[in-house]
Amino acid sequence: MSKILHIIVFIALSSCTERQKTVQQKVSSFYVVKYEYGKSDTLWTNHIPEGSDRMVAVDSFDYTIHQKSIQILKFTNPDVGIDSKVEAYFEKSLGIFLVKSKTWSLKYQLKSTDDSVEACIDKMQNLDFVK
């Protein structure tokens, strides 16, 4: 699971870095919150992941939020054992914004210190397609 977390944070931060270059507004910070069995931890990473598990796109969903069309991609890792299977959700401007274990009560959610970005992330994480 730690490899998956590193992938999430790396993709999210690299996607958001590109967005921040084009929009010169207040700086947003992103972080990941890990939820497991009713407890939560804020997670930060400071290095690029060395390897990754194979993730495969299995579905997509088009949605309009704040008059902007977005596409959410759903990924999974079919080549791993049942205890390691996850679902990951990706949006182009944010990167991976949610990862859920298919077996355990465990999920990783992208969060932002920017209120408008956080509201968009929250809306996407609560869509029926993502639940």
Side-chain angles (χ1 to χ4, degrees):
M1 274 310 224
S2 67
K3 287 183 183 179
I4 294 169
L5 172 63
H6 293 303
I7 293 167
I8 296 167
V9 173
F10 174 71
I11 291 173
L13 292 177
S14 63
S15 296
C16 294
T17 301
E18 190 62 36
R19 183 179 148 266
Q20 289 174 350
K21 289 178 186 175
T22 59
V23 179
Q24 294 298 325
Q25 295 178 354
K26 64 180 180 177
V27 176
S28 300
S29 292
F30 291 89
Y31 56 99
V32 174
V33 177
K34 174 185 174 185
Y35 295 94
E36 186 173 23
Y37 301 111
K39 298 179 183 178
S40 65
D41 286 320
T42 302
L43 307 172
W44 302 89
T45 63
N46 58 4
H47 66 282
I48 297 171
E50 297 170 10
S52 65
D53 295 327
R54 194 171 88 104
M55 297 293 283
V56 177
V58 293
D59 203 355
S60 67
F61 177 73
D62 295 315
Y63 182 69
T64 302
I65 187 168
H66 300 297
Q67 301 175 352
K68 178 183 172 191
S69 294
I70 62 170
Q71 182 180 48
I72 298 173
L73 299 174
K74 178 180 177 179
F75 289 85
T76 190
N77 52 348
D79 297 338
V80 297
I82 191 137
D83 286 350
S84 299
K85 288 196 185 242
V86 297
E87 290 179 349
Y89 297 88
F90 172 89
E91 195 279 321
K92 184 173 80 173
S93 67
L94 295 171
I96 295 176
F97 61 89
L98 178 65
V99 175
K100 301 186 295 185
S101 171
K102 299 279 285 174
T103 307
W104 307 105
S105 177
L106 174 67
K107 67 181 173 180
Y108 297 93
Q109 291 182 318
L110 180 68
K111 299 288 187 177
S112 175
T113 57
D114 181 308
D115 292 338
S116 62
V117 174
E118 179 62 26
C120 290
I121 293 170
D122 187 53
K123 281 185 181 184
M124 289 189 297
Q125 290 176 350
N126 287 300
L127 292 172
D128 287 339
F129 175 74
V130 176
K131 286 184 179 180

